[in-house]
Amino acid sequence: MNPTAARFRAVVTDLDGTVVRRDGTVSDATRRAAAALAAAGIPLIAATARTPSGIAVLGELVRDVAVAVCCNGGVGCLPSTGERLWLQALDPAAVVEIVDVLAARLPDAEIGAYDGRRWMLTDGYVAVRGTAPRGPHRIATAGRLSRRPACMLSVCHPRLGSAAVAEVLAAAHVHPGLAAVTYAADDLLDITPPGADKAAGAGRALARLGIEPADAVGFGDAPNDLPMLALVGHAVAVANAHPDVLAAADAVTACVERDGFAEALTGLGLVPDERGRPTAPSSCGQP
């Protein structure tokens, strides 16, 4: 066995942009790599902004995920059984404050609130996003949405990107102690309870498995992956990653469209070398 591989007992990975391609599919090479990890007794932890319903649609990949860290750390579950391991909710006062700030300063913003079971969406959310969130959802006014429990808020705007929306919230002095603000995509800002991020969620998942974070390899591509990549013993960025992720990583592998996840695991000696198998002949761009 590769001496480097001997120190790694788990793999933690983001999904979209890291192992899930732009068209929402997972390559054969990635599925084989996940299966090889399972066969070797190396648990795979998914750390994602997706909800449990969003993970469930990934088909064969799901069966090899030991623990899913969803909603950027706010929800944990076992994909094999659907059992929920934890759920952190935003303080109701934080939800009211954020909704009020957005209504006053960005009236065109659309909001989704996820309570652990279903989404509540403002009327224009689907039109701005171009798609509905995976899983059950219903339309509600912003006022009604602010009165419902939420473990994650997602905000989109027809003209402003995630970073600009985050700046508006910061300028309104939405206290960091009330919520954590991050994003994986430039068109969708995610807001979670304070202390709920991918690092905290991955730490909980690893503790459940009896594995120290230093003994895990992490993969990511977006700003919301940075805490998780700082937690693990070896951080790998895919080539299509955000510049901040590339700068923070210990290593860079090929982009998601060229099976960088499988390539890096092979290089570390964690899965068998499958040289000779075809990979998707696709180009990679920055997120």
Side-chain angles (χ1 to χ4, degrees), residues 32 36-37 262 265-266 269-275:
R32 288 193 297 266
L37 289 173
L265 292 176
T266 299
L270 292 171
V271 304
D273 190 343
E274 293 194 330
R275 279 178 294 188

Side-chain angles (χ1 to χ4, degrees), residues 92-195:
V95 177
V96 171
E97 180 176 344
I98 291 165
V99 170
D100 286 349
V101 166
L102 291 170
R105 303 198 177 200
L106 292 176
D108 291 337
E110 301 292 343
I111 309 169
Y114 181 70
D115 66 4
R117 299 291 182 188
R118 68 177 180 182
W119 286 94
M120 300 283 281
L121 310 172
T122 53
D123 188 58
Y125 185 95
V126 174
V128 171
R129 282 286 289 151
T131 184
R134 301 170 186 90
H137 61 274
R138 61 182 296 184
I139 303 301
T141 64
R144 184 177 179 192
L145 180 150
S146 70
R147 295 192 295 271
R148 301 284 299 176
C151 59
M152 182 169 72
L153 300 177
S154 291
V155 184
C156 54
H157 192 278
R159 295 177 301 281
L160 299 179
S162 300
V165 175
E167 289 176 4
V168 170
L169 292 174
H173 305 295
V174 174
H175 196 280
L178 289 177
V181 177
T182 188
Y183 60 93
D186 188 53
D187 61 349
L188 192 67
L189 186 76
D190 294 322
I191 302 171
T192 54

